[in-house]
Amino acid sequence: MLSFQEKLAIIESFPELQRKDVSLGRINFQYNDSIYDKKNVVYHLHPNGNGFVYGGHLHGEETDDKGMINIREYSADALHSLIQASIRSLSPKTAKEQAITGNAPEERWKGPDKQTLLLIHEDDLWYVYSGLNMEMAFETRAEAVQYLHEEGFSRI
């Protein structure tokens, strides 16, 4: 388990987050550019190492009824990835992303050469996009995820 200071250092490495000290030594970190009313990305980080990251718009993450994910046992890499995904889920889409996805749910995947692919579920199929180009189509999410993993991509 990471210490409070280690978690704090990871969280503070995100310049888009603003620190807000709250009661009992706990700290929140807010993303003020959120397109949703939800602004807390990190909620109640406690000196004992416990805390939460907002995951209400993330697919495949187990959250509580408020959309929060407990980060007590997270590794440094997992915590960094989760915060990055949380911020991205609260961010406005670029014009290119909006053209591709519209209102369809999407997942971002980063590859070995820092290439980003989008996985989009639409019309009962799962599409993999690189920029504006559709790369592959799959009948199930499991097939698409297997393909992405085989190609060296991981979800962000």
Side-chain angles (χ1 to χ4, degrees):
M1 179 172 87
L2 297 172
S3 71
F4 171 75
Q5 291 302 327
E6 291 168 324
K7 288 178 182 172
L8 190 58
I10 293 167
I11 297 164
E12 288 178 336
S13 73
F14 290 92
E16 57 268 63
L17 298 180
Q18 288 75 46
R19 179 181 172 147
K20 302 288 182 189
D21 294 339
V22 292
S23 63
L24 304 172
R26 296 175 296 186
I27 304 169
N28 291 345
F29 285 86
Q30 297 180 338
Y31 178 55
N32 290 328
D33 292 334
S34 174
I35 60 172
Y36 301 99
D37 289 339
K38 186 70 175 169
K39 300 237 185 264
N40 282 333
V41 170
V42 178
Y43 180 72
H44 284 183
L45 179 65
H46 193 277
N48 70 8
N50 201 22
F52 301 89
V53 169
Y54 183 69
H57 297 289
L58 301 178
H59 303 286
E61 297 288 344
E62 189 173 325
T63 64
D64 65 14
D65 59 342
K66 294 181 183 178
M68 305 304 279
I69 301 167
N70 189 299
I71 59 169
R72 177 183 285 279
E73 302 296 328
Y74 269 61
S75 69
D77 289 340
L79 179 59
H80 188 273
S81 294
L82 179 62
I83 293 170
Q84 189 175 43
S86 178
I87 291 169
R88 182 66 204 122
S89 76
L90 298 172
S91 298
K93 292 181 181 178
T94 66
K96 185 190 296 186
E97 292 168 340
Q98 186 62 35
I100 295 169
T101 65
N103 292 325
E106 101 258 349
E107 299 175 14
R108 295 180 168 282
W109 291 74
K110 181 135 331 245
D113 296 326
K114 302 205 186 258
Q115 178 187 14
T116 300
L117 298 179
L118 292 177
L119 177 60
I120 300 169
H121 183 231
E122 186 175 49
D123 299 328
D124 295 326
L125 291 174
W126 292 86
Y127 298 97
V128 176
Y129 281 90
S130 174
L132 294 173
N133 300 318
M134 184 184 66
E135 296 291 321
M136 300 287 287
F138 299 92
E139 290 185 8
T140 68
R141 182 180 183 281
E143 291 172 331
V145 168
Q146 180 181 352
Y147 165 78
L148 289 164
H149 284 292
E150 287 172 357
E151 296 297 318
F153 284 80
S154 58
R155 188 160 176 219
I156 55 172

